[in-house]
Amino acid sequence: MKPLRLFSLVTLTAAAVLAPLGAIEITLPAETDRLIESPLPGYALATTYCYTCHSTDYVRVQPPGMNRAAWRASVVKMQKTFGAPIPDDVIDPIAEYLARTYGAERAAAPAKK
Ligand code: HEC
């Protein structure tokens, strides 16, 4: 009988310690590190080639007046200076997407009321 009692004690103690842990819920913060969705082909390309090294904050904090040539230069810099494996033929579509979504070519923001 003695070994059985010891077993019960261990089981009960374990249950008492572990049960409250089951009540812990972890709520993750909303996923905000995403590029703005777009039907432009450059959107899918940017999600393929621009998420690997840094957050999308780098894109978001660029001046809204940045034109397509400046965005293009930025993508080329990722490729040439930082060694991002970005194929040449996706540079223009990505630059177009960035200029039209974050830069000088985007539709005017709705007026504040
Ligand atoms: C190989 C890694 C790598 C990839 C992939 C990459 N970047 Fe970068 N990016 C960097 C580094 C390194 C910096 C500089 C970080 C710093 O200065 O702290 C940077 C900085 C930036 C900046 C800030 C301005 C600047 O020139 O420093 C922008 C905008 C940017 N990246 C956009 C992009 C876009 C758009 C893509 C996809 C086409 C991309 N990055 C993909 C490495 C990468």
Side-chain angles (χ1 to χ4, degrees):
M1 274 302 164
K2 225 178 181 187
L4 185 64
R5 254 199 237 143
L6 182 63
F7 175 76
S8 305
L9 186 68
V10 169
T11 310
L12 281 175
T13 308
V17 170
L18 295 175
L21 294 179
I24 294 175
E25 273 182 38
I26 298 168
T27 308
L28 295 170
E31 180 64 85
T32 52
D33 189 26
R34 284 281 172 267
L35 292 166
I36 296 171
E37 278 183 43
S38 162
L40 292 169
Y43 166 67
L45 294 167
T47 61
T48 303
Y49 294 105
C50 305
Y51 282 168
T52 359
C53 298
H54 51 70
S55 83
T56 57
D57 287 349
Y58 282 94
V59 169
R60 267 194 294 262
V61 301
Q62 299 310 304
M66 225 166 119
N67 65 20
R68 199 183 293 203
W71 273 116
R72 191 181 192 288
S74 181
V75 177
V76 170
K77 178 178 168 187
M78 298 306 125
Q79 184 202 44
K80 297 263 191 285
T81 310
F82 300 134
I86 302 172
D88 288 342
D89 61 349
V90 306
I91 291 174
D92 283 324
I94 290 178
E96 180 188 4
Y97 158 74
L98 292 169
R100 289 178 61 178
T101 310
Y102 295 94
E105 294 176 43
R106 75 195 186 293
K112 278 188 187 150
K113 284 180 186 160

